[in-house]
Amino acid sequence: MPKRHISPQSFDDILTELGDDPAIPDPHGFRKPATPDAQPKIALPPKPPISISLQKFGPYVGLGVGVVALSIAIFIGLEVMNMQSGTHIARLEQEMVALKNETQSLQNEILEIEDFLYDSIDELKVSIHSFNKNRAISNPKPKSEPIPFLSELRHWHYLGVSQAGGLQKAFFQNGKETVMLELGSIALGEWRLTSVHREYAIFTHPKASPLTIKPKKSE
């Protein structure tokens, strides 16, 4: 077996790795005395592999899933509300259009009723006017009672006037005889001689118009 050449440094390193075993001789003094300040190395336990336990994060994961589900539900609810709102608005618009049409129809009916009422009022006015007119014709005013002695006095003729002192006397022909009357005296009934002139005389009555008597016209 061939010999291997080992340098003193390599041998010292081997002994260092083998430790200070007193059973192994060190005739050449290669071992290094252990320094009192040197402290033995403490072997650290191996680090466990990194692993995520779902059991620790289970509540948080459930909470996150709940939040996501709630967000989705809210979004869907808002979309549904928007759709319902749009449908509701469309329905309200249709109802407004229908109400507007109904209102217009009612206005037209009211106008027709007003026209009918005005026509009826005009016809009623005409009927009342015709009724009053016919009533006036069918019920004429009663004739006034004849004034006593009016017809007799109309047949008198004025003959003239004479004045003696402060008295005026008038002369009349009643168809039978000559009648003389002083101014202010009663002729027939309530007829009174109230005025005498050269060409005519006037008789008055409390219930009749004045009566003028003139001379008889010559034939």
Side-chain angles (χ1 to χ4, degrees), residues 16 34 40 70 81 98 114 126 132 134 150 155 157 165:
T16 301
L70 181 61
M81 289 178 62
E114 287 182 353
V126 173
N132 292 333
N134 295 331
L150 176 60
H155 290 87
H157 300 287

Side-chain angles (χ1 to χ4, degrees), residues 84-97:
Q84 292 179 352
S85 298
T87 305
H88 184 65
I89 292 173
R91 184 169 63 253
L92 288 177
E93 290 178 352
Q94 293 177 358
E95 292 178 355
M96 289 178 63
V97 171

